[in-house]
Every structure is written in C-alpha cells, then in structure tokens.
Amino acid sequence: MQAGKRFSEAAIETLRAEIQSAGGNEIFVLGFLDDSGLVCRVRVAARGNAASVPALIGLLETPEGEDPGGAGPLDEVSVESRVPDVFIHNHPSGFLTPSDNDLVLSSRAAESGAGSFIVDNEVSQVYVVAEPARRRRVKKLDRDKICAALEPGGAVAGRLPSFELRSSQLELMELIIRAFNEDALAAAEAGTGVGKSFAYLLPAMRYALDNGERILISTATITLQQQLFDKDIPLVAAALGGKIKAALVKGRGNYLCWRRLDDALREAQFLDEDENEALGRIAQWAESVKSGSRSDLSFMPPETVWSRVCSEADLCMGMGCPNRERCFVMTLRRECADARILVVNHHLLFADLAARREGAGYEATVVLPPYRRLIIDEAHTMESAATSFFSREWSRLSLYRQLGRLLRKRRARRFGLLLRLADLTQEGRGEAFIDKAQDAVERIRAVADELDERALELCQSEGCFRLSPQRAEAVKALLIPGLEDLRRELLVLINLVREALEDLKDDDADDPAVWELKGVLRRLDTISEVCASFMGYREHPGEVMWLERFGGGAPGSSPWARFTVTPLDTAPALADALFRPNKTVVCVSATLTVNSVPKEYAPSERAPFAYWMGRSGLALVEDRPVLCGQFPSPFPYKTATLLAVPGDAPLPEESAFRPFVDQAVTRLAETAGGSALILFTSYEALKSAYAAARPVLEQSGIRCFKQGDDDRSRLLASFLADETSVLFATDSFWEGVDAPGDTLRLVILCRLPFRSPNDPVFEARSEALDKQGGNPFMDLSLPEAVMKFKQGFGRLMRRSSDRGVVAVLDGRLLRKRYGEVFLRSIPPSRTCFAEFDTILRETERFLFSMSHPVEPF
C-alpha cells in the first residue's frame, strides 16, 4: 500500500529523516492520527540495528500538554487517553511481511486499541499489520452554556416555579465542570439550600449526552435516590433537550424473586396467620407490578416474610432460573445496560467496587455496568457505609434463620430444604439423613445458645465488648471454647449436607431447591469463618472483633449478642477501588469540613477537608489533581437562626447534668409551643427526658413522639403531620430529617455528639492513631463530633423562609477550648450565650417577636 494513504506528507518526511539519521537501521516509532485518520505526527521511541529494534510498548504517553491528534488546543478538545494511535517500525530489507515477533507486538498493541504499521526505509510503502482503533474525541463541557441554565430565564431556572439565583450554586457547578474537563477528583461542601443536585446533574448529564459515557450517581438514602430519579433528572433532561436514559438501581434485597416467592407459597401452610396473609398480598401484587420493588408495595410486609421472597445474589440461579424471562432483577439489568445515568446507593456502589478490585476489572458488567465517572452525594457517610459493607457479622437469631431454612418443625411436621434434598437423592438417605441433620441442627442451636449467654456476660456493663490482648483471659475463658464448639458443629452439618449434594444426579443439580440450599451453606460457611476470625483475633491487626448486645427491652423478649468483624481502616480500599481507577469522582455533601475559617486565613483550600479526606481515602491519592471548594448556604442564618447555649449548664460528667437536661428540654419545648426536634446521643438520656417532658407538654396540647415507638419513616410522617408536635430521637435522626416551615422551629442538641470512648471500632481506631503518633482526640474524636454536630444544626433551616432556634445544652461548647471548633464549623448565626432563664426569654422573643437584640457571632 502506498504510504501516502496512511501518512501525511509531513509525517513521511519526518519518518524518512529519522531512518536516515539512524543509518538505515530499524527504528521504533509512536504515531498519532489526525481527524482524517492519517498519521500526522511521529515520535521516535527506540533505535536498533539492521535486523531488530526494541519494541518499547511501555512508552505510551505523549509529552504533557501536547495534542497528539493535532486537532487543536487541549483546553478545547482532548483525546480520551494520551497514548499513541499506532506503533510503526521499518524493515531495511524492503520486505514488509511481518515476522512472528511483529505479530506478537501487534497483538499486544491491539489490547490498547493501537495499530501496527511496517514501512520501508524510503517510507513509500506501508504494510498495515493491525488497524488502529479510532480514538474517540472527548467534548469538553462549556462552562458558560451550562451555567446559563441556572441563571434567570435559563433552561432549568425557567422550569422551577420558585427559582432563586444562587451564586454558590453556580460556583459549585463550575468546580464540577472542571472535574469533568480535567479528569480530576473533587470534594465540595455545599451548605443547605445551595442546590447541589442541579449543580452536579447539569454537568453530568451534559457530559453523558455529548460523549456517550455512563455517569454513576451514588447517594446514602433511598429518599434522595427517588427524588433524583423521579423529579430532578427528568427536569434537567427536558432542559437539555436531549434524550438521555436514566435508571434507578437499588440493592437486590429490594426486589422480589419469583422463584423464591413460588418456593414460599409451597410452604405457606406452615406460616402463621399474619405471615400467610402478607405472603398472599405480595403474590397478588407481583402479578400487576412492573418493577417488583418493595417500595411499590402499599403495605409493609413483616421482615421475616420479605426476606423469604426477596432477591439475593448468592441464591440467584441466573440464566438457569426457570423465571429468568420475567425476573425483575434481569429486567433492571437490561434497563441499566444502555442507561447513561445510573442512580444507586453507597452500599451497592461498594459491592460493585469490591468485586472490581478483587479481579473483575473495570470494563465489564459486575454488580453494575461499567463506568469511569461518578458523583457521590451525601459523601460524609462514605466511611460509615464502607465500614458497614466490609464488615462481617452473625447473631444467634441470624443463625436460627439459616437453620430454619434447612429444617424446622411446626405442628409435629418437619419441613425445609433438606426434606426436598432427601427426595432428590438416591435411595438410602431419606429418613435416616433427616434424623442426622435434625440432630446436627439441634446441637448447633444448643451450642449457639450457650455461646450467646457467654457473650452477653462480656457485654454486661457497656453493652459491647472488643476482643483485645488486654482482655485475653476473659476471651479465653468465656468465648474461645464456645466458638470452637460452634465451628465444629457447623462443619459437621455443612459436610453432611455437601455429601448429600454430591449424591445428586446431574439432572437435579440445577433444581431451585438445590441452589437455595447451596446459598444457605455459604452463609453458614461465613458464620464459621467469623468464628475462626474471633478465635485468631491476635493474628488480625487490621480488623476489629467485637460483640454488641441487642434486644431484651420489651416484656418477654430475650437479649442476644451480635458477633462482628470490622475493618480497622477503610481508606486504603476506597483509594484503590474508587479514586485511583476512575477518571472523575466528585464528592458532595453539606458536611465535609471541620474548623472552617475565612479563605484569606486558610493554609490551603484542602485544609478544612483534611479529616474527611483522610477517612475516605482521598488523601492517599497523591498523583491526581484534587479540587476542593466550600460553598456556603444562601439561607439568612444571621437573621433567621438563634444559637442558644446556657452558660450555667452543668458539664455532662456532672451528676446534675441529666436533671438539668430533663428540665431544660421540657421548658424550651413548652416555650416554643412544640414544633421541636430534640436530639440525644444515648437512648437512656432520651427516655429520661421524654418521661419528664411528656406529661407537661401533653397537658399543653403538645403531642410527643419517641424514637423506638414506630419505624423511622412512620415516626417522621406523624411528626411532620402534626405542626406542634415534638420528636425525641437519637443517632440516625441527627441527619436526613427534612421538616421545613413551622413544623420545626426548635432544635435541641442535648449533648455534643462525641462517640462513646467504649465504642469498639472507635476504641480500636483511636489506639491505632496513638501508635502512629497521632492525637486520637484531635485527629478522630473531635472532627467526627463536629461533622455530626453540623448535621444536627442543619436540621433547622430547610428553606430560606424558615426561622428558629438551635439550643445546645452541653456546657462544653462554651467552657472548653475545642468548643470554638464547633462554632467555627457552622454558619454565622445570632447567638444567646447566657443563663438558662435568659435563654428561655430570648427564645420566646425570637420566635414570636420581630425585635431581636442578640447579635451574630
């Protein structure tokens, strides 16, 4: 083939001169294509002799800042990867047929999408060994056009009935645009009311439309997932004027499995009346629903029923399932395959990332279709979500559930998966096999009961217990023997069942009951592995083994212990799986910084993000650009919020503290006329304050709700429906409560939200920091508490017209030096730091009068 058909004249001249300069010997050259597909520029990588030359395929990158394709400045158009389009070498003999080594080189080059050419020394002829893949050009985002959509009269602004121009929203969007254009990582703190959803959806969806790339958006809550998918994404898609497919993906456990439903219906006669009714309603619902999602149910089925019929990854038969054509999960996967926007939750994201990191790679569908650009909303929860995902646990109750799936009795009849296995096995197993299995199950239950009692003894004083060398004697005496016994009995049962499975005929190996049975065995294996980890806790310095007490509060209920193995540090895994492999990762939240100071005094833009970056793994990524920005709330905190802290409040360690809180909560809520969210750091303190306040408040017509009296969603709905009600709550209610308007005019933070020093994971992480020469209080305890404090403070102002009081009853906020860190980390507000009686008067004046003498701090 004539060289002119594959090379530009300039490239031919350069290549010819380089060959002559090398004395006519072989040279190895990197070639770059222009928009017409011709090699327009070449760069010599190696020089050899008359017979060979080093094929330096490792030299892939072009000089920084150059545009290999000659298509213009890099700030306008860039190649997707800065690698050569073609490898070129010459044959001085003029005989261009490739050698075996040339073919090997071409195969390796093709793995990167590069072609392979052989030319003669005159560069008049070319032999194309492998065609280069045409590099897809990436169209960069146009900042002005995208920002215009959120300016008055813009494509998005015009679709919002109560649009307000927010400079912080535009600045946030500019940072996100940079992250996409520069293949950068970004951390952005966007205060309440900034409008972060539109600020990241516009760039993400524009980028997906222009470049055909899939963008993944991960959130911490299903509520935000639904809002993005049902409202925000359709609005932005209409504003952009292009067709872009989005898919909402929840964890498998949220979807119904037809096979497991059929299996449950066959055993319906063994369920109690309420469970049977719920199962029948689910079966009826399934015939008419499209998504199969639990959230589409009009009622809340018992967890025991839903867990029996929901989809589970380790129980899925995949393409071998008889229900695959109508499978809800399969349908969802097909929807996701050509979706350009995927909305997921953090747990699902981590499941996907873990599989990819363990060897599944980043180019194929694993849990999710492949992606290389992500938006992580509610990013302050990343560490806790990762900790939860990578932890392994079991309890007596979870073990009972698995054993019940294998074999259980009701009304003198035995049923379960092992009976169905006995029917499938060859003659001779039958009743004798079931009897042996029954004996093994009963021994496991007995051993588990005994182990649970010993674990509860260890949890007695604190409600939890961490295995450590300092507690070796107690662990050896109370836990190790029971763990050994349980592991031994589990292995007996597992081996018994596996022997029966090996006796199956080939035709029965794909029976649905067999798949379900194998899944249960894998779960029993996991429990056995957790037991082994507990037994060898000294050999696992990177993990925390701990016990926690649950239940026993209701009359007639028995407590139980949960055995958990938790990673000590999730940051390295997040750095390796999330930040390093992906081109763009934007992390957004209302709380990512600690100790905020004016920009002119900050040592760097990254400084306030140091704690979060260290815990999330972003600080470990040193070879990538990281963009950081703080975007303050546009809400009028200085005029609409009063921060009240009683100077005469006892310190939490003083005996007078709890009586003071009980009295203060009652009087503040009564003064405000209800409409209050009262947040605690312990359930015991909550119960004490609730018992003191409820009679007084209800006598004034103020209804009181307490966490634990109903599930979270119904409790919140009841609170929101009654404008003057008061909600007493703990941990999970410090965030995610959205109560705009007069429903919430008073937030009481009873105590600074420091983690209990006896929390097993916190204790282990503190010890690790201390060994590394760090300061556990300043490096972990304080910043963690500040971020949670910011979340609690943020419950009050949910829209610009809101108005109210945040009262903090912890005297440490004013009397300890670190209190300044809390105060500098929240928006400047009006303050009242005075005796409690003065605070009551100022609270009443602020809420019910237009005159407010208190000044912003």
Side-chain angles (χ1 to χ4, degrees):
M1 180 188 298
Q2 295 293 318
K5 293 184 177 182
R6 292 299 180 125
F7 293 85
S8 69
E9 286 298 325
I12 290 174
E13 289 299 324
T14 301
L15 194 53
R16 186 180 293 145
E18 291 288 355
I19 293 171
Q20 290 175 355
S21 176
N25 290 311
E26 285 196 27
I27 62 174
F28 183 75
V29 178
L30 311 180
F32 303 91
L33 304 181
D34 62 17
D35 289 338
S36 66
L38 293 180
V39 176
C40 65
R41 190 170 65 82
V42 294
R43 179 160 65 92
V44 177
R47 297 171 180 84
N49 54 34
S52 62
V53 64
L56 304 181
I57 292 182
L59 297 177
L60 297 177
E61 293 192 359
T62 62
E64 187 72 15
E66 293 186 17
D67 174 12
L74 278 178
D75 60 354
E76 294 178 4
V77 178
S78 169
V79 290
E80 184 178 8
S81 301
R82 294 181 177 179
V83 297
D85 296 295
V86 60
F87 296 106
I88 307 161
H89 71 284
N90 61 308
H91 280 186
S93 65
F95 182 67
L96 303 188
T97 301
S99 66
D100 289 345
N101 285 339
D102 291 337
L103 295 176
V104 171
L105 165 68
S106 298
S107 297
R108 290 180 58 197
E111 292 176 2
S112 299
S116 179
F117 294 178
I118 302 173
V119 297
D120 60 3
N121 278 13
E122 295 300 317
V123 198
S124 60
Q125 300 290 318
V126 59
Y127 187 98
V128 178
V129 184
E131 293 283 358
R134 294 298 298 272
R135 301 291 181 190
R136 180 173 59 81
R137 303 283 174 177
V138 173
K139 184 176 181 181
K140 292 198 172 186
L141 296 172
D142 186 315
R143 172 202 167 279
D144 293 337
K145 286 183 179 178
I146 294 175
C147 288
L150 280 176
E151 293 174 347
V156 170
R159 287 173 164 80
L160 297 173
S162 56
F163 172 77
E164 297 176 10
L165 178 63
R166 302 169 186 175
S167 59
S168 52
Q169 185 181 47
L170 294 176
E171 291 168 1
L172 169 61
M173 190 156 61
E174 288 176 7
L175 179 134
I176 294 170
I177 289 170
R178 282 187 60 197
F180 276 94
N181 285 345
E182 299 172 21
D183 288 352
L185 309 173
E189 181 177 80
T192 306
V194 165
K196 56 184 170 63
S197 297
F198 288 127
Y200 62 67
L201 284 176
L202 269 164
M205 294 174 68
R206 181 76 269 169
Y207 197 92
L209 278 170
D210 288 347
N211 296 292
E213 284 196 46
R214 180 180 290 109
I215 312 294
L216 186 141
I217 301 172
S218 181
T219 78
T221 60
I222 289 179
T223 301
L224 181 53
Q225 278 186 281
Q226 292 287 168
Q227 176 190 316
L228 290 171
F229 185 74
D230 295 337
K231 298 179 181 178
D232 297 346
I233 288 175
L235 189 150
V236 173
L240 293 175
K243 284 189 175 182
I244 182 165
K245 185 174 180 180
L248 173 63
V249 192
K250 304 172 189 174
R252 291 187 74 122
N254 287 283
Y255 299 95
L256 181 72
C257 172
W258 283 107
R259 180 187 63 75
R260 301 193 74 212
L261 175 62
D262 291 343
D263 185 49
L265 289 171
R266 282 196 295 271
E267 295 184 348
Q269 59 182 311
F270 302 111
L271 300 176
D272 62 37
E273 186 176 340
D274 290 341
E275 290 176 331
N276 214 331
E277 180 188 357
L279 185 63
R281 293 179 68 182
I282 291 173
Q284 186 177 12
W285 162 81
E287 296 296 341
S288 59
V289 75
K290 181 180 179 182
S291 71
S293 172
R294 183 180 187 176
S295 62
D296 292 339
L297 279 166
S298 59
F299 68 101
M300 185 72 70
E303 187 60 34
T304 53
V305 175
W306 182 257
S307 64
R308 182 69 184 80
V309 299
C310 67
S311 179
E312 299 278 4
D314 60 345
L315 304 179
C316 179
M317 296 181 66
M319 295 307 295
C321 180
N323 292 287
R324 63 183 178 276
E325 294 301 323
R326 59 173 183 164
C327 174
F328 294 117
V329 172
M330 290 283 191
T331 300
L332 178 64
R333 284 194 166 184
R334 288 191 289 269
E335 288 289 311
C336 292
D338 59 348
R340 287 293 160 260
I341 302 292
L342 290 183
V343 183
V344 307
N345 60 43
H346 293 347
H347 194 275
L348 198 62
L349 170 63
F350 293 141
D352 184 75
L353 291 174
R356 295 183 188 281
R357 183 177 178 235
E358 289 167 6
Y362 288 82
E363 305 302 327
T365 294
V366 188
V367 177
L368 299 167
Y371 50 87
R372 283 303 179 92
R373 301 186 193 273
L374 305 89
I375 306 286
I376 300 181
D377 203 342
E378 301 173 311
H380 65 281
T381 64
M382 281 174 55
E383 184 191 15
S384 61
T387 297
S388 173
F389 175 78
F390 290 110
S391 293
R392 296 170 291 145
E393 63 185 37
W394 72 273
S395 69
R396 172 172 56 87
L397 299 188
S398 67
L399 174 59
Y400 284 0
R401 280 195 292 272
Q402 301 309 317
L403 295 176
R405 291 293 298 123
L406 295 178
L407 195 62
R408 57 198 184 279
K409 281 184 178 181
R410 188 180 289 262
R411 292 190 284 271
R413 288 188 58 186
R414 294 191 292 201
F415 58 102
L417 292 168
L418 292 186
L419 287 174
R420 292 162 67 181
L421 175 62
D423 291 340
L424 294 172
T425 53
Q426 298 176 17
E427 292 183 12
R429 291 205 178 264
E431 197 68 26
F433 167 71
I434 296 299
D435 288 341
K436 288 182 69 175
Q438 183 73 56
D439 289 343
V441 167
E442 289 175 359
R443 287 197 305 272
I444 290 172
R445 290 177 68 99
V447 169
D449 287 345
E450 178 68 20
L451 177 59
D452 193 61
E453 288 183 18
R454 301 289 81 78
L456 289 171
E457 285 182 42
L458 292 173
C459 295
Q460 195 87 36
S461 58
E462 302 292 342
C464 56
F465 179 87
R466 177 171 72 96
L467 280 67
S468 66
Q470 295 78 12
R471 297 162 176 161
E473 288 188 14
V475 172
K476 183 178 180 180
L478 293 176
L479 276 190
I480 299 300
L483 289 166
E484 290 174 341
D485 290 345
L486 178 59
R487 190 160 187 263
R488 183 184 62 251
E489 296 299 340
L490 281 172
L491 292 177
V492 168
L493 176 62
I494 290 168
N495 290 334
L496 175 68
V497 177
R498 285 193 170 136
E499 285 178 11
L501 287 171
E502 290 173 2
D503 200 32
L504 286 175
K505 298 175 182 176
D506 291 343
D507 293 344
D508 294 327
D510 288 333
D511 186 278
V514 173
W515 277 82
E516 187 93 5
L517 183 55
K518 289 179 178 178
V520 172
L521 291 185
R522 284 191 291 270
R523 294 178 184 187
L524 294 179
D525 271 330
T526 298
I527 293 174
S528 175
E529 290 166 6
V530 172
C531 290
S533 294
F534 266 72
M535 291 158 57
Y537 68 98
R538 290 172 178 266
E539 302 165 10
H540 300 277
E543 293 180 316
V544 186
M545 284 69 170
W546 54 290
L547 308 168
E548 187 172 13
R549 183 184 193 275
F550 286 90
S557 67
S558 301
W560 71 91
R562 185 175 67 189
F563 295 68
T564 305
V565 179
T566 295
L568 184 64
D569 186 3
T570 60
L574 289 173
D576 289 342
L578 174 62
F579 292 116
R580 290 194 177 103
N582 292 299
K583 294 179 179 178
T584 299
V585 183
V586 177
C587 299
V588 189
S589 172
T591 50
L592 291 183
T593 66
V594 174
N595 199 19
S596 299
V597 295
K599 288 183 179 179
E600 57 267 30
Y601 299 117
S604 74
E605 287 185 343
R606 293 175 61 161
F609 292 86
Y611 168 73
W612 175 82
M613 289 178 64
R615 305 307 303 177
S616 68
L618 185 53
L620 300 177
V621 184
E622 298 176 348
D623 56 348
R624 296 280 304 278
V626 178
L627 311 176
C628 294
Q630 292 173 264
F631 306 93
S633 169
F635 290 168
Y637 282 92
K638 290 182 179 180
T639 59
T641 300
L642 173 65
L643 175 64
V645 186
D648 55 349
L651 295 178
E653 61 268 23
E654 296 175 7
S655 60
F657 180 70
R658 179 168 290 183
F660 170 79
V661 169
D662 293 350
Q663 178 207 44
V665 161
T666 305
R667 297 179 67 189
L668 279 166
E670 189 177 27
T671 298
S675 305
L677 173 64
I678 306 173
L679 295 170
F680 300 82
T681 57
S682 79
Y683 197 68
E684 288 302 314
L686 181 155
K687 289 193 295 184
S688 177
Y690 180 81
R694 182 184 176 187
V696 178
L697 296 179
E698 294 197 341
Q699 191 172 9
S700 300
I702 298 171
R703 193 177 177 191
C704 296
F705 298 104
K706 174 168 61 72
Q707 183 178 349
D709 288 347
D710 205 341
D711 72 63
R712 190 179 193 275
S713 59
R714 284 197 289 266
L715 199 62
L716 270 178
S718 299
F719 172 62
L720 294 173
D722 189 337
E723 201 170 85
T724 63
S725 64
V726 174
L727 174 58
F728 294 71
T730 60
D731 193 44
S732 65
F733 285 79
W734 282 71
E735 57 183 277
V737 176
D738 193 4
D742 289 339
T743 302
L744 186 56
R745 292 176 297 170
L746 172 65
V747 173
I748 303 176
L749 308 181
C750 295
R751 186 169 175 162
L752 296 179
F754 286 103
R755 188 90 69 93
S756 167
N758 297 317
D759 177 283
V761 178
F762 179 82
E763 182 183 58
R765 288 173 174 172
S766 295
E767 289 177 6
L769 269 173
D770 190 50
K771 288 179 182 177
Q772 295 164 11
N775 183 322
F777 180 76
M778 297 301 295
D779 298 341
L780 180 62
S781 182
L782 179 60
E784 182 184 76
V786 169
M787 290 184 70
K788 189 160 188 175
F789 179 80
K790 291 172 69 174
Q791 283 287 335
F793 182 90
R795 293 314 94 210
L796 181 68
M797 293 282 288
R798 307 309 298 171
R799 62 188 185 195
S800 59
S801 59
D802 287 348
R803 175 184 192 79
V805 176
V806 177
V808 183
L809 304 182
D810 192 331
R812 292 176 296 180
L813 191 61
L814 300 182
R815 292 156 64 182
K816 299 291 186 180
R817 291 186 62 183
Y818 58 73
E820 296 178 6
V821 181
F822 287 90
L823 294 175
R824 285 200 302 265
S825 297
I826 58 176
S829 308
R830 292 181 177 273
T831 60
C832 181
F833 300 159
E835 293 184 351
F836 182 71
D837 288 342
T838 302
I839 281 175
L840 283 177
R841 291 195 298 272
E842 292 299 336
T843 295
E844 184 175 19
R845 179 187 291 181
F846 189 86
L847 292 177
F848 303 110
S849 169
M850 294 302 292
S851 174
H852 308 294
V854 288
E855 297 297 328
F857 67 83

